[in-house]
Amino acid sequence: MIEKRMNEIIEILNKANYEYNTLDAPTITDQEYDNYLRELIKLEEKHPELKRSDSPTVRVGGEIVEGFRKITHEIPMLSLSNVFNESEIISFDERIRKEVLNPEYTCELKIDGLSVSLLYKNGKLVQGATRGDGVTGEDITHNVRTIKNIPLTLPEPLDIEIRGEIYMPKDSFQSLNEERERNGMDLFANPRNAAAGSVRQLDSKVAASRNLSSFLYHLPEAEKFSLHSHYETLEFMKRLGFSVNPNIRKICHLHELLEFIQVWTEKRHELPYEIDGIVIKLDNLDDQKKLGYTAKYPRWATAYKFPAAEVYTKLKDIHFSVGRTGQVTPNAILEPVMLAGSTISKTTLHNEEYVTLRDIRIGDVVAIKKAGDVIPEVVRVLTERRIGDEIPFQMIQECPICGSPLVRAEKEAAYYCKNVHCDAKKIESLIHYASRDAMNIDGFGDSIVEDFYNMNYLKKFSDFYSLFQSKEELMELEGFGSKSIQNLLDGIENSKNNSLERLLFALGIRHVGKKTAKVLASYFKTMDCLQKATFDELIAVKDVGDIIAKSIVSYFQNEENHRVIDELRLVGVNMSFLSKQVEVNDEFFNKTFVLTGSLESITREAAKEKIELLGGKTSSTVSSKTDVVVVGSKPGSKYEKAQELGITIWTESEFISKIEK
Ligand code: IVH
């Protein structure tokens, strides 16, 4: 009897909730809703054994977690590539048209919130997770359950993952900040930060009070539900009770997309939530599959980002800094100003030419702009605001740290400090060595490296590996405890096992960036082989040109550099290429390939290596487990067997064009 009444109320509340929060068309009053909710809360208190896990009473919050559990996304949560103007949109469309005849697109608003993955098992919401780094996110289920337009139960008992955006409406953001101001608390810079801060609360009552909302826009496994297009997928999500943004347009011609962009560039301010661009997605799901993914983005979609706002501020001074290569960079010291959610007080002016071309002077009012995720730039001077006492720029002639004369490299705008013993260069190169894309030594931020350098613990790369000898002393330092020092030492120890490309990048060889390091490591396999490579051998490597080859040869001609490497070898730093870096490519990823017949344009070994590099496997026999058979000339029985089993067959040229893609 009681259980029946509770179920009845749950149904009424779920329906009311859906009508109010998703359809924006309530059929009962707030008063009635509250009365039902109160009745249910009372019944649940009296009969806790009857409380359902999907009861709408969880929306008021109450669950408190101790920390955020890590969640692995079985299918990575990718981000979107960006385009900023018409010509980049046209190139995106051209790339698509190479693969797809007459593509259709769906245009959507790009909601400025944070991505979320929702997992339903048997139709019940069992997990909500943040994107994190795309592979590992955080469990925020307790907070997600409080978001009123996220269904706790689906109308069908499906196992399904749905992705979308959690955001804070503009008016909720404003009242939240007003309340925080009244209470003397720090203000949130924008609705996105406020939403992100809210889902990262341990106590779900806080998130429940923040009036968060959601729009869902992606079903990673749409084909499981017999869906054929993105548009259909959105309709399906709506039927399941999710909020799907209504401002969608299906288009066949690029001019319609440009129109859509123009309309929303003007109308975006009228929306009750913030958007930061327009997302363009190839509509047909088979076509999406054909295009596949890069390691970071789907190739079948992109985001047009609205132009960033410009802000004006005073340029108070110009300071010079010295990078690890010795390059001396002028930096603008600014009157602090808010731009796209963060306070800017310093930004690079790149080099002398950048400053003189724009005639940037100390004391000028300058326009600053931030495009996409890049660092803010001084784009121009407001010359009409000059009062006459602005000081014209003058490049310095001596290193601001060690005083040695600066040298301007041929055909380059930059000036360099050539003193190998210059402290600034050494500190920067140590910071670079430990940085995330280089040796990835956890915990070694800029200031720790600088402090350790000044305290003589860290003067050269190999010193990282003897820091453990000073463990006791380091633990005594202010701001460090045994745990933080142990973490640093663990990070150092782990870095010994990095694959060669990290070390090559970490050494800071001029012109050897992350990508070149990877190319070199996978080609030469060991430091020894690379060290012995001649100029001609180097330029024979794909993507290595004259400048890079010259720089590598000259790096290894220097005895001092050999010593640096020998010291690292001695302390146990790995000097070989370890892992094959898998690029996610749908056509190869997790698939089994069989090669048959003789291949003309690629050796069998190279073909196998390429398949593995793209995430596939190779096998020598054709079976029902084979996904693709690549057929060269004069194929044998394997070809026949593949035909018999109905396995996908690629000719050599199809294979080559897919790997080149
Ligand atoms: S699609 C594989 N659609 O923008 C599908 N993303 O800058 C990837 N975003 O990480 C996402 N609105 O958090 C998609 N309508 C929309 C979106 C959207 C906002 C976010 C999302 C993504 C980020 C990329």
Side-chain angles (χ1 to χ4, degrees):
M1 194 59 193
I2 292 167
E3 194 172 0
K4 190 163 162 251
R5 175 65 184 157
M6 286 169 83
N7 287 342
E8 211 172 83
I9 306 177
I10 290 180
E11 217 152 280
I12 296 170
L13 287 173
N14 279 346
K15 180 165 170 282
N17 193 52
Y18 174 66
E19 287 169 347
Y20 183 88
N21 291 295
T22 306
L23 302 181
D24 200 12
T27 55
I28 64 170
T29 62
D30 291 1
Q31 177 78 50
E32 283 172 297
Y33 185 92
D34 285 345
N35 287 344
Y36 282 121
L37 189 66
R38 237 172 284 142
E39 186 182 343
L40 183 60
I41 293 174
K42 268 205 191 123
L43 288 172
E44 285 179 350
E45 275 168 8
K46 248 186 167 166
H47 307 279
E49 74 286 357
L50 296 179
K51 181 170 171 166
R52 278 171 40 180
S53 66
D54 65 338
S55 164
T57 55
V58 300
R59 304 232 188 248
V60 297
E63 193 188 341
I64 300 177
V65 297
E66 286 184 348
F68 295 98
R69 202 166 55 92
K70 296 266 178 263
I71 297 270
T72 306
H73 300 296
E74 297 295 332
I75 304 172
M77 279 183 89
L78 301 182
S79 176
L80 290 169
S81 59
N82 292 320
V83 287
F84 293 96
N85 52 44
E86 195 173 325
S87 83
E88 288 176 4
I89 295 174
I90 294 172
S91 327
F92 168 75
D93 179 55
E94 279 171 359
R95 276 199 302 279
I96 301 271
R97 279 177 197 275
K98 278 191 192 145
E99 306 284 331
V100 178
L101 200 68
N102 300 328
E104 283 188 318
Y105 298 106
T106 316
C107 315
E108 290 168 18
L109 305 186
K110 186 168 180 311
I111 315 298
D112 199 7
L114 62 133
S115 12
V116 68
S117 145
L118 306 174
L119 208 62
Y120 289 82
K121 285 263 176 318
N122 210 12
K124 305 271 181 243
L125 174 66
V126 292
Q127 181 182 291
T130 61
R131 187 167 88 93
D133 62 5
V135 175
T136 313
E138 284 181 332
D139 185 349
I140 51 163
T141 316
H142 63 303
N143 289 330
V144 164
R145 287 207 163 109
T146 69
I147 301 175
K148 296 200 183 73
N149 67 352
I150 293 184
L152 300 169
T153 309
L154 302 180
E156 297 168 48
L158 301 178
D159 287 351
I160 193 169
E161 186 190 358
I162 304 229
R163 293 176 180 176
E165 204 84 353
I166 293 179
Y167 67 92
M168 186 178 281
K170 287 178 189 166
D171 56 355
S172 313
F173 167 71
Q174 200 173 342
S175 37
L176 172 65
N177 261 356
E178 279 164 12
E179 184 194 321
R180 290 175 76 87
E181 193 162 22
R182 278 196 302 277
N183 295 330
M185 295 164 82
D186 285 346
L187 303 189
F188 285 113
N190 52 44
R192 179 168 28 87
N193 287 5
S198 305
V199 299
R200 289 206 85 268
Q201 293 286 332
L202 297 171
D203 180 352
S204 62
K205 272 224 159 63
V206 181
S209 74
R210 294 279 171 89
N211 196 19
L212 296 171
S213 197
S214 68
F215 281 124
L216 283 299
Y217 47 67
H218 186 57
L219 204 64
E221 295 182 300
E223 66 284 354
K224 269 197 186 162
F225 302 92
S226 311
L227 297 161
H228 302 101
S229 72
H230 178 61
Y231 201 82
E232 242 178 72
T233 308
L234 296 176
E235 294 294 320
F236 174 69
M237 293 202 254
K238 267 197 249 177
R239 286 202 299 278
L240 292 182
F242 292 95
S243 289
V244 170
N245 193 283
N247 308 302
I248 322 164
R249 185 162 162 199
K250 205 164 154 174
I251 61 149
C252 307
H253 296 287
L254 218 50
H255 72 86
E256 296 167 286
L257 165 62
L258 299 173
E259 252 167 51
F260 190 83
I261 290 177
Q262 201 188 343
V263 167
W264 285 107
T265 305
E266 284 159 24
K267 273 206 335 191
R268 59 192 277 218
H269 304 289
E270 296 166 22
L271 289 166
Y273 43 84
E274 291 208 335
I275 60 171
D276 58 341
I278 301 295
V279 183
I280 308 124
K281 297 175 182 171
L282 190 55
D283 194 53
N284 184 294
L285 299 185
D286 286 336
D287 291 343
Q288 286 189 1
K289 222 174 178 173
K290 202 161 163 193
L291 266 293
Y293 297 84
T294 70
K296 278 181 162 162
Y297 314 119
R299 287 201 177 88
W300 45 263
T302 194
Y304 165 80
K305 287 284 207 69
F306 292 132
E310 261 185 19
V311 290
Y312 306 133
T313 191
K314 190 168 175 171
L315 190 150
K316 294 194 299 186
D317 205 353
I318 294 178
H319 287 179
F320 294 88
S321 58
V322 186
R324 73 189 150 84
T325 55
Q327 184 174 338
V328 175
T329 309
N331 299 290
I333 307 299
L334 306 164
E335 201 84 73
V337 63
M338 279 292 284
L339 176 62
S342 43
T343 308
I344 318 288
S345 52
K346 184 179 170 186
T347 188
T348 177
L349 292 170
H350 302 287
N351 52 47
E352 181 185 28
E353 199 174 305
Y354 187 91
V355 186
T356 48
L357 267 178
R358 290 164 184 76
D359 187 20
I360 298 169
R361 304 180 185 181
I362 296 171
D364 270 337
V365 176
V366 289
I368 302 182
K369 202 166 166 176
K370 192 169 167 182
D373 299 328
V374 300
I375 43 171
E377 299 238 304
V378 173
V379 282
R380 66 197 161 86
V381 171
L382 277 74
T383 41
E384 67 280 10
R385 304 267 298 261
R386 282 198 174 143
I387 49 173
D389 62 359
E390 295 77 17
I391 307 166
F393 175 76
Q394 260 217 305
M395 188 61 200
I396 48 168
Q397 302 303 321
E398 282 154 11
C399 173
I401 307 296
C402 68
S404 32
L406 299 183
V407 179
R408 189 169 183 167
E410 214 183 314
K411 292 196 209 135
E412 275 190 49
Y415 283 83
Y416 289 87
C417 164
K418 290 281 175 191
N419 173 10
V420 282
H421 302 294
C422 173
D423 283 344
K425 275 164 71 172
K426 285 190 181 165
I427 293 171
E428 288 300 324
S429 65
L430 288 162
I431 291 173
H432 172 76
Y433 183 87
S435 67
R436 201 168 65 177
D437 287 338
M439 293 302 269
N440 193 21
I441 310 182
D442 252 1
F444 270 98
D446 299 10
S447 56
I448 295 190
V449 173
E450 194 171 343
D451 288 348
F452 281 17
Y453 180 90
N454 290 328
M455 289 185 282
N456 288 330
Y457 288 116
L458 208 50
K459 291 284 179 194
K460 50 188 171 55
F461 298 150
S462 59
D463 287 347
F464 277 106
Y465 303 94
S466 35
L467 275 178
F468 73 94
Q469 292 165 359
S470 318
K471 185 173 168 183
E472 306 296 319
E473 273 172 59
L474 295 172
M475 280 177 347
E476 295 303 314
L477 296 176
E478 209 183 306
F480 291 97
S482 57
K483 190 144 178 252
S484 59
I485 292 298
Q486 193 53 51
N487 285 345
L488 292 180
L489 295 178
D490 289 347
I492 292 169
E493 192 57 30
N494 287 339
S495 75
K496 290 183 184 170
N497 301 324
N498 284 335
S499 183
L500 177 63
E501 62 275 20
R502 283 191 174 275
L503 176 61
L504 288 181
F505 180 53
L507 291 174
I509 307 169
R510 270 191 87 195
H511 303 296
V512 177
K514 225 167 51 170
K515 195 168 154 227
T516 306
K518 206 177 262 180
V519 170
L520 292 169
S522 70
Y523 187 92
F524 289 99
K525 304 280 190 280
T526 65
M527 182 67 89
D528 270 349
C529 291
L530 177 64
Q531 245 164 312
K532 288 184 201 128
T534 62
F535 178 82
D536 289 340
E537 281 164 348
L538 283 162
I539 51 164
V541 181
K542 190 169 172 281
D543 292 334
V544 175
D546 286 16
I547 297 178
I548 298 175
K550 234 190 231 164
S551 169
I552 296 169
V553 170
S554 113
Y555 179 86
F556 287 118
Q557 269 165 358
N558 185 335
E559 273 309 310
E560 170 69 18
N561 291 330
H562 282 263
R563 207 170 50 78
V564 169
I565 292 167
D566 289 343
E567 281 174 1
L568 291 172
R569 196 193 305 270
L570 210 66
V571 294
V573 174
N574 169 58
M575 298 275 157
S576 352
F577 180 57
L578 296 179
S579 59
K580 290 193 172 163
Q581 302 293 320
V582 176
E583 259 184 66
V584 181
N585 180 319
D586 255 12
E587 283 186 308
F588 291 84
F589 194 70
N590 260 345
K591 299 213 165 134
T592 305
F593 286 74
V594 173
L595 305 170
T596 178
S598 52
L599 303 174
E600 320 263 316
S601 51
I602 186 168
T603 66
R604 211 162 251 258
E605 275 324 298
K608 279 185 181 170
E609 198 169 316
K610 197 67 205 177
I611 290 169
E612 280 162 21
L613 217 58
L614 294 168
K617 293 179 282 256
T618 52
S619 158
S620 52
T621 49
V622 176
S623 75
S624 59
K625 294 208 177 77
T626 311
D627 292 293
V628 180
V629 175
V630 179
V631 182
S633 60
K634 297 199 209 95
S637 60
K638 289 180 192 169
Y639 179 37
E640 281 160 24
K641 182 131 188 228
Q643 283 177 317
E644 248 170 59
L645 294 173
I647 289 166
T648 307
I649 292 170
W650 291 351
T651 60
E652 179 176 348
S653 61
E654 278 175 291
F655 172 68
I656 298 290
S657 83
K658 285 175 204 285
I659 57 176
E660 276 173 359
K661 195 173 77 188

